[in-house]
Amino acid sequence: MPKAAPSFGLILPPKDPGEPSYRWLYAALRLEILQGRLLPGARLPSTRDLAAQYGLARGTVVNAFEQLKSEGYIDGSLGSGTYVGKILPESLLQVAYRDIAKPAAERAAQTRRPATLSDYGRRAKLFRNYENRPTRAFRANLPALDLFPVALWTKITQRSLGRISTHQLMGGDPLGYLALRQAVAEYLKSRGVSCQPQQVMIVSGVQQALDLTARLLVNPGDRVCVENPGYSGAVQVFQALGAKIVAAGIDDQGISIRRLPSKAVRLIYVTPGHQFPLGTTMSLARRLALLEWARKSGAVIFEDDYDGEFRYAGRPIPALQGLDTSGAVIYAGSFSKVLFPSLRLGYLVIPSHLLPHFEAIQSLTCRHAPLLEQLALTAFINEGHFGRHLRHMRQVYAERLSVLLEETRRRLAGLLEIRGVEAGLQTVGWLQDGLAAEAAALAAAKRNVQVTPLARVSQGSALPGRAFPGGAGLEALQLGFAAVEAKEIRRGVRELAIALEGERKASA
Amino acid sequence: MPKAAPSFGLILPPKDPGEPSYRWLYAALRLEILQGRLLPGARLPSTRDLAAQYGLARGTVVNAFEQLKSEGYIDGSLGSGTYVGKILPESLLQVAYRDIAKPAAERAAQTRRPATLSDYGRRAKLFRNYENRPTRAFRANLPALDLFPVALWTKITQRSLGRISTHQLMGGDPLGYLALRQAVAEYLKSRGVSCQPQQVMIVSGVQQALDLTARLLVNPGDRVCVENPGYSGAVQVFQALGAKIVAAGIDDQGISIRRLPSKAVRLIYVTPGHQFPLGTTMSLARRLALLEWARKSGAVIFEDDYDGEFRYAGRPIPALQGLDTSGAVIYAGSFSKVLFPSLRLGYLVIPSHLLPHFEAIQSLTCRHAPLLEQLALTAFINEGHFGRHLRHMRQVYAERLSVLLEETRRRLAGLLEIRGVEAGLQTVGWLQDGLAAEAAALAAAKRNVQVTPLARVSQGSALPGRAFPGGAGLEALQLGFAAVEAKEIRRGVRELAIALEGERKASA
């Protein structure tokens, strides 16, 4: 029979069901040491005594001691006695570790003085774009995801993975998978983009494209021009980098050149194909004037062709990039609107002289886009599925748009007006008769209709030099139609009519 | 019969095989206008005449005219005559567009004065990490990709895609897919990381983790501490941001605390689990001293546990993060070394007070990591495949390591010495007898053996305050063993022995 062990006073907390016994004992002993209840130099009971005292298997105690030893908490060897190590600074024991016994959740919530953020860190604000709600009238900026051929995509993904080489598992080129860059360059011909595959860089989407471009070109305090109203995701990137934002209004030709500074502009962000959010297509004359202005002012033009694939009337207007002969245009597009947003793939077309810099920044900040998606997308494009899906979606969206236009004419006359729509996944409804956008959106929401006041999607009055054509203000609503089925569009218009009628009566 | 049309003098270039005829004619006419050979106000031939003159179908000409009209190059309507538009500024016609006829490749190569880069853009240098070559002895920093269960991964990917919801196609949380964050938090318990799933953020890998962290915390001119020798991918990120780099040497306990500045440090980058590239495991005493120093100096600690999964002797040392009670440690890991690098998935464990800032910066810079990989990885972990693969790889790498150690003892005695190796995918061979690392690597390369001088992987002398223990210099080679089969390891050692023998004789 073992003799009675000297009382040791270790408190063993309740054990987690899945936790190995030795880890449990180890953690309890470690805590005693870190909290100074077992002092440096103190002798521990023998493994045999400890096992007996706490009803543990001896192997459990041996393993716990081994672990503590390997981490430097205790010294000594079996047989010659085991001692608490003399390695812990006194100050630590008293100051920092008194809280280690608190539950992890509680400890995690604790903060010393919060870390000091960089200037960028203080300026960077959450860009709320993701909305995990069922699609209803008139959700904007979203394609009809229920029509995406998931089964086909699965088959192609499976095949791409089946053929993946060990080299491809290793990593990839910062600029992207060459075959995809070739496929993108070929595809972009139809959009009037003039480029070599080498100039195409694969990115995670327009958001990353904006960030990389702005980091590469813009110092804090530098001027960046944007459209007003315009895409707030871009403005937030520039603001976070400390750029001086200069906003110029939109007229029926596109961005108003006359108001732009004539020099020392680093970057201008434009949406010539389908102005976000107004929907204007930039005229040829304005495109040429913009290029001429860029030449003089030194600005690089960032052309965001975010939904250039969807045009329902007329033929697509070739990209600004294709008119440029001076290497002043960076062209960006994404697969979020044609395929699906959580794919996170897009592309940049970059003037040759800037390519090495984009390659460097990509290698430093994320290495490259994931390869599997790039392989699958390459096959999807090259086998013609991309073109087919795009044509199908164009047809579906054109039908949905015509339902929206017809219903709006029938039921919303005098309340809301939609002007010429030629492209995109959403359009703008201009409120009539003095109706206010915020109140209208609220009234619509009560009838389960989602419409966003234009001022909210566009930084509106937050920008200096708020310049809106004709003094009309932004009493308008963004109306998405691409992701909304015809039946739901009809319901949406009916409900919106009731909501707006109510608003008109209330304000009369 | 039509009467003879007036000669028009349009030069039609050769047509691309796949190009629709109307696009071809459109492009030629557009060029005439942009280059000023067709002047504003000039009348175009009728579609009938043009068709007859160039042997085209009339529909082709009508379509080309429609396109030009929709873009604003020409005015007028069928019947009343068609004229070149008066919209093009004279200066443009003469200055910018003279080169539009050159082939795209040539034009792309042209640059006006190159765009001015930001300070960051000028400092950002390509980080060469990707190497698309067959694996041979002694390729470092790479797992055994040929043993990755691609078929299983394919099956799980396929299943994940089959179950994907429309919501999941829409996009995701900037911090990552919650179920994956839960699985990672659970997994990290075994590495001594103490965290809630909410503190886990999914990133594309350690490279992105470094960039996000440094952007959030470091202004140009701020002090950032690094290990010397250390991971150059980290140093390059900090240098690009304009940080003042302070390098501290490594002794047998880990980074040398005594040399660190006592205040005003924003960030310190360490590899406590397995120092890169020396392989040292930071002792408990040093870990506690480092935390204490961070508390005083105000530094945030970035703990890069880049290959903490692979430990062959002793038990894993718990992460520094798990010892921290003050929210001073950001812990980073990646799936590149356990799964495969081109997956581009990793994670950060973030102190609660910094979480909203990481969420904001992720939303602004790339929105979120692609969802499909996150779904597949979640299933791979939760179904136990991850643990199984990891255990299998640990066993394989341990065997390969023992072959390397045994062969080295047998054949490289007096030439190269490998000290205690407990972890990782590579180790360090210390050259003996005055052999120089650069010359040794060159001689080895001639015998098809890949060894990298330690100074090259570690910024070595490029850093100020080069402090290397014992004045030994960096005459050492990095030797990878995980990705190299036993037979190839044996060949590598044999060849390296011949190469080093030769070097010794040459320098004697």
Side-chain angles (χ1 to χ4, degrees):
Chain A
M1 295 243 320
K3 44 180 183 165
S7 176
F8 180 54
L10 172 72
I11 296 155
L12 278 170
K15 189 167 94 65
D16 279 348
E19 196 178 18
S21 297
Y22 88 88
R23 290 288 306 180
W24 170 60
L25 179 62
Y26 150 83
L29 284 167
R30 177 170 164 271
L31 195 61
E32 294 288 301
I33 296 169
L34 283 171
Q35 293 188 320
R37 287 193 297 273
L38 274 175
L39 291 171
R43 182 172 178 162
L44 293 181
S46 72
T47 52
R48 184 190 303 269
D49 287 349
L50 205 55
Q53 196 177 337
Y54 289 88
L56 299 165
R58 186 158 171 227
T60 298
V61 184
V62 169
N63 282 337
F65 275 33
E66 283 301 312
Q67 176 80 25
L68 289 165
K69 230 175 271 173
S70 74
E71 294 177 19
Y73 288 95
I74 61 176
D75 293 320
S77 56
L78 289 177
S80 70
T82 307
Y83 301 86
V84 176
K86 289 178 182 162
I87 51 170
L88 308 179
E90 275 299 306
S91 60
L92 271 178
L93 292 177
Q94 282 145 32
V95 182
Y97 291 93
R98 53 175 184 233
D99 298 325
I100 207 161
K102 292 186 185 169
E106 194 179 326
R107 286 196 284 130
Q110 286 181 345
T111 53
R112 51 172 193 175
R113 54 167 177 61
T116 314
L117 297 177
S118 68
D119 297 336
Y120 176 83
R122 274 185 285 107
R123 289 182 301 241
K125 302 281 177 255
L126 183 65
F127 174 52
R128 288 193 192 283
N129 174 277
Y130 169 59
E131 188 187 354
N132 190 5
R133 279 197 294 181
T135 304
R136 55 180 175 161
F138 294 97
R139 173 85 175 260
N141 295 311
L142 203 68
L145 295 173
D146 51 330
L147 299 178
F148 180 73
V150 172
L152 176 61
W153 184 260
T154 306
K155 214 174 86 185
I156 288 176
T157 299
Q158 185 186 352
R159 179 151 40 82
S160 302
L161 254 173
R163 288 179 191 165
I164 207 164
S165 70
T166 306
H167 282 167
Q168 289 174 328
L169 294 175
M170 257 181 221
D173 188 323
L175 292 169
Y177 179 51
L178 187 57
L180 178 57
R181 295 161 67 198
Q182 284 162 341
V184 169
E186 183 61 33
Y187 160 62
L188 289 179
K189 279 187 187 169
S190 69
R191 290 163 81 177
V193 173
S194 157
C195 70
Q196 298 295 302
Q198 290 74 21
Q199 292 173 262
V200 176
M201 174 175 174
I202 305 301
V203 292
S204 91
V206 170
Q207 204 62 37
Q208 191 190 28
L210 279 165
D211 183 55
L212 293 179
T213 304
R215 280 183 93 176
L216 217 44
L217 298 174
V218 179
N219 279 325
D222 281 349
R223 278 181 182 157
V224 172
C225 295
V226 299
E227 299 169 328
N228 186 22
Y231 177 54
S232 55
V235 175
Q236 277 187 238
V237 166
F238 306 142
Q239 282 176 329
L241 283 164
K244 200 178 149 192
I245 308 288
V246 181
I250 308 296
D251 60 28
D252 60 351
Q253 308 265 305
I255 191 167
S256 212
I257 307 275
R258 281 171 304 123
R259 308 231 181 171
L260 294 176
S262 61
K263 58 182 179 180
V265 177
R266 298 301 279 269
L267 189 64
I268 181 168
Y269 171 84
V270 287
T271 51
H274 186 226
Q275 205 274 333
F276 187 92
L278 295 179
T280 317
T281 299
M282 193 183 290
S283 70
L284 177 67
R286 187 59 55 81
R287 284 170 197 242
L288 294 170
L290 180 63
L291 287 168
E292 177 70 1
W293 167 84
R295 201 178 59 78
K296 285 183 184 151
S297 69
V300 168
I301 299 173
F302 188 101
E303 176 176 21
D304 182 357
D305 199 9
Y306 63 101
D307 67 0
E309 289 87 354
F310 300 108
R311 178 158 286 276
Y312 315 111
R315 293 200 187 75
I317 306 289
L320 189 60
Q321 193 272 359
L323 287 173
D324 174 38
T325 57
S326 64
V329 177
I330 293 174
Y331 175 92
S334 118
F335 292 103
S336 294
K337 303 283 196 286
V338 187
L339 305 179
F340 54 96
S342 72
L343 175 65
R344 308 309 311 132
L345 281 180
Y347 45 84
L348 271 177
V349 178
I350 300 166
S352 304
H353 69 283
L354 285 174
L355 263 179
H357 303 289
F358 274 92
E359 188 182 6
I361 186 174
Q362 184 81 334
S363 76
L364 275 185
T365 60
C366 75
R367 294 204 178 168
H368 61 81
L371 203 64
L372 173 59
E373 265 89 353
Q374 297 189 68
L375 296 174
L377 179 53
T378 306
F380 197 77
I381 296 174
N382 289 344
E383 292 169 19
H385 306 299
F386 183 83
R388 264 191 295 281
H389 179 60
L390 186 48
R391 285 190 294 277
H392 179 206
M393 288 304 101
R394 257 193 221 116
Q395 190 189 334
V396 169
Y397 300 165
E399 284 163 19
R400 291 177 177 184
L401 173 60
S402 78
V403 172
L404 174 64
L405 294 176
E406 195 187 309
E407 291 291 301
T408 301
R409 266 192 305 270
R410 265 181 58 194
R411 297 183 189 270
L412 287 167
L415 293 167
L416 183 108
E417 186 188 307
I418 299 178
R419 293 164 200 169
V421 187
E422 297 190 331
L425 307 178
Q426 64 268 336
T427 185
V428 176
W430 296 92
L431 289 163
Q432 306 295 302
D433 211 16
L435 285 167
E438 281 293 340
L442 201 65
K446 286 180 188 157
R447 307 197 70 87
N448 197 25
V449 171
Q450 179 180 9
V451 286
T452 310
L454 219 57
R456 257 199 260 162
V457 294
S458 66
Q459 301 272 329
S461 51
L463 289 175
R466 181 170 176 234
F468 199 70
L474 281 170
E475 299 309 330
L477 303 172
Q478 197 176 44
L479 303 170
F481 55 84
V484 189
E485 286 181 16
K487 191 179 159 190
E488 170 67 5
I489 291 178
R490 287 195 190 92
R491 183 196 71 84
V493 172
R494 275 197 311 273
E495 297 294 330
L496 189 58
I498 298 170
L500 296 183
E501 247 345 318
E503 277 304 296
R504 181 155 66 181
K505 276 178 195 142
S507 65
Chain B
M1 295 228 342
K3 44 179 185 167
S7 176
F8 179 54
L10 173 71
I11 296 156
L12 278 170
K15 189 167 95 62
D16 279 349
E19 196 177 18
S21 297
Y22 88 89
R23 290 288 307 180
W24 170 58
L25 178 63
Y26 150 83
L29 284 167
R30 177 169 164 270
L31 195 62
E32 295 287 301
I33 295 168
L34 283 171
Q35 294 189 319
R37 285 195 297 273
L38 273 175
L39 290 171
R43 182 171 182 163
L44 294 181
S46 72
T47 52
R48 183 189 302 270
D49 287 349
L50 203 56
Q53 196 177 337
Y54 288 89
L56 299 165
R58 185 157 171 227
T60 298
V61 183
V62 169
N63 281 337
F65 274 32
E66 283 302 312
Q67 176 79 23
L68 289 165
K69 229 176 270 175
S70 74
E71 294 177 17
Y73 288 95
I74 60 176
D75 294 322
S77 56
L78 290 178
S80 72
T82 306
Y83 301 86
V84 176
K86 289 179 182 164
I87 51 169
L88 308 179
E90 275 299 307
S91 61
L92 272 177
L93 292 177
Q94 282 144 32
V95 182
Y97 292 92
R98 55 176 181 233
D99 297 326
I100 208 161
K102 292 185 185 170
E106 195 179 325
R107 285 196 285 130
Q110 284 183 348
T111 53
R112 50 172 194 176
R113 53 167 178 61
T116 314
L117 296 177
S118 67
D119 297 336
Y120 176 82
R122 271 184 288 107
R123 288 184 300 241
K125 303 281 177 257
L126 182 66
F127 174 52
R128 289 194 192 285
N129 174 278
Y130 168 59
E131 188 187 353
N132 190 5
R133 280 197 293 182
T135 304
R136 55 181 174 158
F138 294 97
R139 172 85 176 261
N141 296 311
L142 203 68
L145 295 173
D146 51 330
L147 299 178
F148 180 73
V150 172
L152 177 61
W153 185 259
T154 306
K155 214 174 87 186
I156 288 176
T157 300
Q158 185 187 351
R159 178 150 43 82
S160 303
L161 254 173
R163 289 178 190 165
I164 207 164
S165 69
T166 306
H167 282 168
Q168 289 174 328
L169 294 175
M170 256 180 221
D173 189 322
L175 292 170
Y177 178 51
L178 186 57
L180 178 57
R181 295 161 67 199
Q182 284 163 340
V184 169
E186 183 61 32
Y187 160 62
L188 289 179
K189 279 187 187 168
S190 69
R191 292 163 80 178
V193 173
S194 158
C195 69
Q196 298 295 304
Q198 290 73 20
Q199 293 173 260
V200 176
M201 173 174 174
I202 305 301
V203 292
S204 91
V206 170
Q207 204 62 38
Q208 192 191 26
L210 280 164
D211 183 55
L212 294 179
T213 304
R215 280 183 92 176
L216 217 43
L217 298 174
V218 179
N219 279 324
D222 281 348
R223 278 182 183 157
V224 173
C225 294
V226 299
E227 301 170 326
N228 186 23
Y231 177 54
S232 55
V235 176
Q236 276 187 238
V237 166
F238 306 141
Q239 282 176 330
L241 283 164
K244 200 177 149 192
I245 308 289
V246 181
I250 308 296
D251 61 27
D252 60 349
Q253 308 265 307
I255 192 167
S256 209
I257 307 276
R258 283 170 302 124
R259 308 232 181 170
L260 295 176
S262 61
K263 59 182 179 180
V265 178
R266 298 301 277 269
L267 189 64
I268 181 167
Y269 170 84
V270 287
T271 50
H274 186 227
Q275 204 274 334
F276 186 92
L278 295 179
T280 317
T281 298
M282 194 183 290
S283 70
L284 176 66
R286 188 61 54 81
R287 284 170 197 242
L288 294 170
L290 180 62
L291 286 168
E292 178 69 2
W293 166 84
R295 202 179 58 79
K296 285 182 185 151
S297 69
V300 168
I301 299 174
F302 188 102
E303 177 177 20
D304 182 358
D305 199 9
Y306 64 101
D307 67 359
E309 290 88 354
F310 300 108
R311 179 158 285 276
Y312 316 110
R315 293 201 187 75
I317 306 289
L320 189 60
Q321 193 272 356
L323 287 172
D324 173 38
T325 57
S326 63
V329 177
I330 292 173
Y331 175 91
S334 117
F335 293 103
S336 294
K337 301 283 195 288
V338 187
L339 304 179
F340 54 96
S342 73
L343 175 65
R344 308 311 309 134
L345 281 180
Y347 45 83
L348 272 177
V349 178
I350 300 166
S352 305
H353 68 284
L354 285 173
L355 263 179
H357 303 289
F358 274 92
E359 188 182 6
I361 186 174
Q362 184 81 334
S363 76
L364 275 186
T365 61
C366 74
R367 295 204 176 169
H368 60 83
L371 203 63
L372 172 59
E373 265 88 354
Q374 296 189 68
L375 295 174
L377 180 53
T378 306
F380 196 78
I381 296 174
N382 290 344
E383 293 168 20
H385 306 300
F386 184 83
R388 263 191 295 281
H389 180 61
L390 186 48
R391 285 190 293 277
H392 179 206
M393 288 304 101
R394 256 193 221 118
Q395 191 189 334
V396 169
Y397 300 164
E399 284 163 16
R400 292 179 176 183
L401 173 60
S402 78
V403 171
L404 173 64
L405 294 176
E406 195 187 310
E407 292 291 303
T408 300
R409 267 192 306 271
R410 265 182 58 195
R411 298 183 188 270
L412 287 168
L415 293 166
L416 183 108
E417 187 188 305
I418 299 179
R419 294 164 198 167
V421 187
E422 297 190 331
L425 307 178
Q426 64 268 335
T427 184
V428 176
W430 296 92
L431 289 164
Q432 306 294 301
D433 211 16
L435 286 166
E438 281 292 340
L442 200 65
K446 286 180 187 156
R447 307 196 69 88
N448 196 27
V449 171
Q450 180 180 9
V451 285
T452 311
L454 220 57
R456 257 198 259 162
V457 295
S458 65
Q459 301 272 329
S461 52
L463 289 176
R466 181 170 178 235
F468 199 72
L474 280 169
E475 299 309 331
L477 303 171
Q478 197 176 45
L479 303 170
F481 54 84
V484 189
E485 287 181 13
K487 191 179 159 191
E488 171 66 4
I489 291 177
R490 287 196 190 92
R491 182 196 71 85
V493 172
R494 276 198 310 274
E495 297 294 331
L496 189 58
I498 299 171
L500 296 183
E501 252 339 323
E503 278 304 298
R504 181 156 64 180
K505 278 178 194 144
S507 65

